[in-house]
Amino acid sequence: MLSLSPQQMDLLAQVARERFVHRVAAYFALQWPAMLERLGDRYGAFIDLAVQHAQKHQLAEGPCVARYVNLWFVWGPAFEDKPGFEWAKDILIDTRRSEFIKPHQLVRRTLDELQRLHAASAGRPHTGLPPTDFEAADARVVADLADLGRLGDVVPSNVQVARLSCDLDAIDIGTIDTAWRHEYRLTDKDWQRVPGPAAAPRLRIDTSQPLPPQRLHVLTHAPGEGPPARLQVKVRALGGCGDHTHPRVAFTGGHGLWEWRGHEATAVSWPVHAAPTLPVPDGLVAGIAHESSPQWHTLQVASCGLRDHGAPLGEVATPVLSYPADQWLLELRHTTKPATCRLERDGIAQDGSAWQRGFARLHDDFKASTDQLLLAFERTSGATAAQLDIEPSLMAGQAGLSWGWREGPQGLVDDPVMRLEGWLDMVACALQLQLSGELSLAGARARLRLRAQGSTPLRTRIRRDSKLPLLPEVLAPTVVKLRYPFELEMDPIVTPDHVALHPTAPATGAIVGEAGLRAKPGNGGVQLFLTLRIEPVATTLAIHDPVLGTSRQARPLLPAMTLLDWSLG
């Protein structure tokens, strides 16, 4: 493979530029023989300077450069810098205009100016260039120099230059066929399905507000899971390229490519689908306020981007993100075993057995942890014949929650928000726990009982239907903290040596925990949760010996341990 050094590439580019300028000079010598005769030996420098000015204005495609050079023969060298030609300067320095638009608009304005000059002559002799002659000359330039190539490029090219105005005047985008949208709303403790928010405001894009949004957002259903929303696009075109190519509306995504051209593209609508609903971890049909990933599509509205006056709108391309519009309702009743659950999506009952299994797991996990608690008590305290008596009530009561995506206040251009509404009327934890056994120490014996008890209600309402405050801030008030300190009782057992054992200070430590609603780690969404932990439990014991006197000994009774870490959602 041939490899060229930077110096060789620069040399080739210089040679290509010289050929470019030479061909332009030769062409215009035939088109404007009077100028060749007038300039004589300065003609080559005149063309070279005109090409330099074209480069300064970011013109490089051969036909674009040539159209600009042609104007030097009409208005004179560097005409854009002369008084009265401010219009030309404005066109050339505008970064919103492409290199194809700049010479096109210079040509159109030149035609207007020539027509104005001819009209102003009002029948008097006029030696200026007739507008029709200039228009014909420009058309020849575009046709004859289409293969001129790009200025300074070694590789030849052939560029098609549009001469007919073809742009977008305005684009109107909105969603239709969304009357099926309903939400669950809470009245006292009763739920009702009511129509969702009013239709999102439509989006208008035109030259006064040309910047398209970073992305559009549509709430809809997955195929087979409910009616879809339809995206509607209306286009008002400015001119046309004459072959029904533009305007062009295209929508791409997992479905492939859908497109409409010409008259068909002026008003078109189509269904937009969301990604299918997938079960979340734990086997649940849907997690509470789980923010599933949107489906990505791309919307394009295109034209040649060529207009006679002003900056063009050209082409608008923006991502379209579709979110599942499903609205969920979950009602729980956990007063007896097993828990009962009602799960609905858009008024249709869903399988709620995974939620029931989640509450069954709560009891199973707690039972397993209490077995470990008894073993830890025996090993840490040294008690024999240890027993555990416990009466638990965990996350008992009723709850109702509803959630689903809702459009942001600005509709299509606004990120949607995951709506969450509901109430909890539960007892987070009600517990009566007693550990007992017999302790022997330095010839002394005693029966000990370690108790902890308490009850913590979990009654709260929650509502979130806007981006702020953030979800963790909304959930924080739903969390309750619990703390049940341990109490120690000891009954001495008489021994032949009359050595006595009794505590000299209250036991330290407690059962602590939290319960309520929290953001789900990792996968997003919200979950019910209950955590219980044991803070280390210890005391100081006094050993009273009639012969040896009294001594004291610090005695651990329970280590720090997790009693329960349960969540569901």
Side-chain angles (χ1 to χ4, degrees):
M1 181 177 178
L2 180 64
S3 178
L4 300 177
S5 68
Q7 293 79 7
Q8 290 171 322
M9 291 296 297
D10 290 343
L11 180 60
L12 284 175
Q14 180 62 31
V15 171
R17 185 185 186 284
E18 290 174 357
R19 289 178 177 173
F20 183 101
V21 173
H22 178 74
R23 184 176 173 190
V24 170
Y27 179 81
F28 282 116
L30 298 176
Q31 298 296 317
W32 300 93
M35 182 65 75
L36 174 64
E37 182 179 351
R38 176 182 172 187
L39 293 175
D41 294 341
R42 295 174 297 158
Y43 176 73
F46 173 84
I47 296 295
D48 189 75
L49 184 61
V51 172
Q52 289 182 38
H53 274 250
Q55 286 181 285
K56 182 180 72 173
H57 297 305
Q58 285 76 53
L59 303 180
E61 289 292 348
C64 297
V65 174
R67 295 183 86 184
Y68 171 78
V69 172
N70 191 42
L71 292 172
W72 276 41
F73 290 92
V74 179
W75 300 122
F79 64 94
E80 65 270 19
D81 296 325
K82 297 176 181 177
F85 289 89
E86 288 79 10
W87 53 268
K89 190 76 168 181
D90 291 342
I91 292 172
L92 289 168
I93 65 175
D94 189 352
T95 56
R96 297 171 300 170
R97 292 170 165 92
S98 72
E99 70 169 307
F100 290 95
I101 295 172
K102 289 177 180 180
H104 174 82
Q105 292 191 351
L106 290 174
V107 167
R108 301 313 303 178
R109 181 60 185 268
T110 294
L111 279 170
D112 292 343
E113 291 296 317
L114 292 176
Q115 289 169 355
R116 182 182 62 80
L117 292 173
H118 274 264
S121 65
R124 297 190 301 275
H126 180 65
T127 58
L129 180 66
T132 53
D133 290 356
F134 170 74
E135 189 171 20
D138 178 72
R140 288 194 299 272
V141 169
V142 171
D144 296 344
L145 298 181
D147 63 341
L148 184 56
R150 191 168 179 85
L151 180 60
D153 278 4
V154 178
V155 180
S157 65
N158 193 313
V159 176
Q160 299 297 320
V161 177
R163 298 183 64 247
L164 295 176
S165 176
C166 175
D167 194 23
L168 305 173
D169 195 34
I171 306 171
D172 180 87
I173 307 173
T175 52
I176 59 174
D177 295 349
T178 58
W180 47 264
R181 290 285 309 281
H182 281 69
E183 293 180 353
Y184 292 95
R185 297 275 177 81
L186 180 60
T187 304
D188 192 17
K189 288 187 179 179
D190 294 326
W191 294 96
Q192 294 182 348
R193 289 189 73 227
V194 300
R202 298 181 70 89
L203 171 66
R204 181 182 175 86
I205 301 172
D206 56 30
T207 52
S208 65
Q209 43 189 8
L211 292 179
Q214 292 185 344
R215 59 189 64 173
L216 303 179
H217 308 272
V218 177
L219 300 189
T220 184
H221 279 119
E225 295 185 6
R230 296 179 70 87
L231 191 64
Q232 184 184 63
V233 175
K234 297 180 180 180
V235 179
R236 189 169 71 216
L238 183 68
C241 45
D243 59 358
H244 304 291
T245 299
H246 294 130
R248 173 180 178 265
V249 175
F251 189 68
T252 56
H255 60 274
L257 168 65
W258 295 340
E259 69 172 352
W260 301 264
R261 293 178 179 270
H263 179 72
E264 289 184 348
T266 57
V268 61
S269 67
W270 60 90
V272 179
H273 289 103
T277 301
L278 299 176
V280 298
D282 302 330
L284 303 175
V285 176
I288 301 172
H290 178 66
E291 298 185 357
S292 55
S293 299
Q295 188 91 325
W296 283 73
H297 316 266
T298 300
L299 171 65
Q300 291 177 298
V301 185
S303 69
C304 292
L306 198 65
R307 62 168 58 204
D308 294 345
H309 307 285
L313 196 53
E315 177 177 319
V316 170
T318 182
V320 177
L321 278 59
S322 59
Y323 298 76
D326 309 330
Q327 299 296 308
W328 294 87
L329 173 65
L330 173 67
E331 290 188 295
L332 297 168
R333 187 178 182 86
H334 183 219
T335 54
T336 59
K337 296 180 185 179
T340 59
C341 168
R342 174 193 172 201
L343 181 65
E344 278 188 15
R345 178 176 68 181
D346 297 327
I348 301 175
Q350 305 291 313
D351 180 12
S353 59
W355 293 88
Q356 294 173 308
R357 291 194 298 270
F359 277 94
R361 177 170 50 82
L362 167 64
H363 298 287
D364 294 342
D365 291 352
F366 188 72
K367 176 62 171 63
S369 67
T370 54
D371 293 342
Q372 295 298 315
L373 176 65
L374 181 59
L375 182 61
F377 174 66
E378 290 178 325
R379 290 177 176 176
T380 304
S381 67
T384 58
Q387 292 183 341
L388 171 63
D389 297 307
I390 186 168
E391 295 181 14
S393 180
L394 307 174
M395 300 297 286
Q398 304 174 73
L401 295 166
S402 170
W403 65 90
W405 287 108
R406 176 187 285 178
E407 290 95 344
Q410 299 180 62
L412 286 169
V413 299
D414 211 352
D415 291 336
V417 61
M418 176 55 70
R419 181 188 62 83
L420 175 63
E421 185 176 7
W423 56 274
L424 303 175
D425 187 1
M426 312 182 87
V427 174
C429 179
L431 198 62
Q432 290 185 346
L433 181 148
Q434 177 176 287
L435 290 161
S436 61
E438 187 174 308
L439 185 62
S440 298
L441 187 62
R445 297 173 59 200
R447 294 185 182 89
L448 62 84
R449 291 175 298 278
L450 193 60
R451 295 194 184 98
Q453 62 182 4
S455 179
T456 304
L458 176 56
R459 297 188 182 96
T460 186
R461 292 189 69 156
I462 182 172
R463 181 167 183 172
R464 180 188 188 239
D465 51 16
S466 60
K467 294 182 212 176
L468 297 175
L470 298 176
L471 186 59
E473 299 176 55
V474 176
L475 297 176
T478 73
V479 177
V480 295
K481 298 181 181 296
L482 56 92
R483 180 179 181 85
Y484 309 146
F486 278 102
E487 297 178 353
L488 176 64
E489 294 180 356
M490 294 186 67
D491 297 329
I493 299 175
V494 178
T495 64
D497 295 330
H498 301 286
V499 181
L501 183 64
H502 60 85
T504 63
T508 61
I511 297 175
V512 297
E514 294 181 334
L517 293 168
R518 69 183 177 190
K520 188 174 183 178
N523 293 318
V526 176
Q527 60 185 192
L528 284 165
F529 79 100
L530 172 61
T531 62
L532 297 174
R533 303 184 308 280
I534 301 291
E535 291 182 343
V537 182
T539 189
T540 300
L541 299 178
I543 306 168
H544 181 68
D545 189 308
V547 177
L548 300 177
T550 301
S551 62
R552 288 176 171 79
Q553 185 181 109
R555 189 72 178 182
L557 301 176
L558 278 175
M561 62 182 295
T562 297
L563 198 57
L564 181 67
D565 188 358
W566 173 86
S567 61
L568 182 61

